Amino acid sequence: MLAGNFYSVPPGLPGARVGVIHRLGEDTVSIATASRAVIARHRLAPRGAGQTVSDRAPCKSKVRRPPSEAALAEAERLREQRATGSTAERVVIDLSHYAAVADRLRHVPPPEEEENEE
């Protein structure tokens, strides 16, 4: 992150320690490894813009689209269900069977000690 903006690195390097190099008067920023090998170069975004700058176009399969009519109808149905008490709120789980098993396991007699034959 530099001046409130994020700059991408090549795949396989997220989380790696890198340096950011910006020379006064230039409109680019370079991302370099610890050995100062430049691995990415980007245009400098305006200070504090909160932009994420990448050298590649966004993935076409992840284009943000507005929700469909069916999705909006399902969201409304879920909101109404939550307001009237969802199925999960009406489910009662009876743990008496588990308690009985746990109680029996607590009272299991210890195994008989084997006699040592010497």
Side-chain angles (χ1 to χ4, degrees):
M1 185 163 117
L2 174 68
N5 298 300
F6 296 90
Y7 296 89
S8 70
V9 295
L13 293 174
R17 288 188 175 259
V18 295
V20 180
I21 303 166
H22 173 241
R23 295 178 190 225
L24 284 175
E26 290 187 0
D27 63 350
T28 60
V29 61
S30 300
I31 313 294
T33 63
S35 62
R36 300 197 48 91
V38 175
I39 56 174
R41 187 167 279 127
H42 302 288
R43 66 170 174 74
L44 188 63
R47 179 177 288 278
Q51 292 183 0
T52 298
V53 181
S54 177
D55 58 351
R56 296 187 178 158
C59 179
K60 290 182 181 180
S61 66
K62 295 181 183 175
V63 174
R64 293 185 59 117
R65 296 181 180 95
S68 67
E69 289 299 318
L72 292 171
E74 179 65 11
E76 185 58 32
R77 186 186 70 77
L78 291 171
R79 279 189 213 100
E80 288 173 5
Q81 186 179 27
R82 188 182 316 145
T84 61
S86 70
T87 306
E89 292 171 349
R90 290 179 281 164
V91 171
V92 176
I93 299 173
D94 182 5
L95 297 177
S96 61
H97 176 73
Y98 297 103
V101 171
D103 190 47
R104 281 196 307 260
L105 290 174
R106 264 182 273 181
H107 301 304
V108 172
E112 294 180 23
E113 293 183 19
E114 296 180 18
E115 293 182 24
N116 292 335
E117 295 179 21
E118 292 183 30

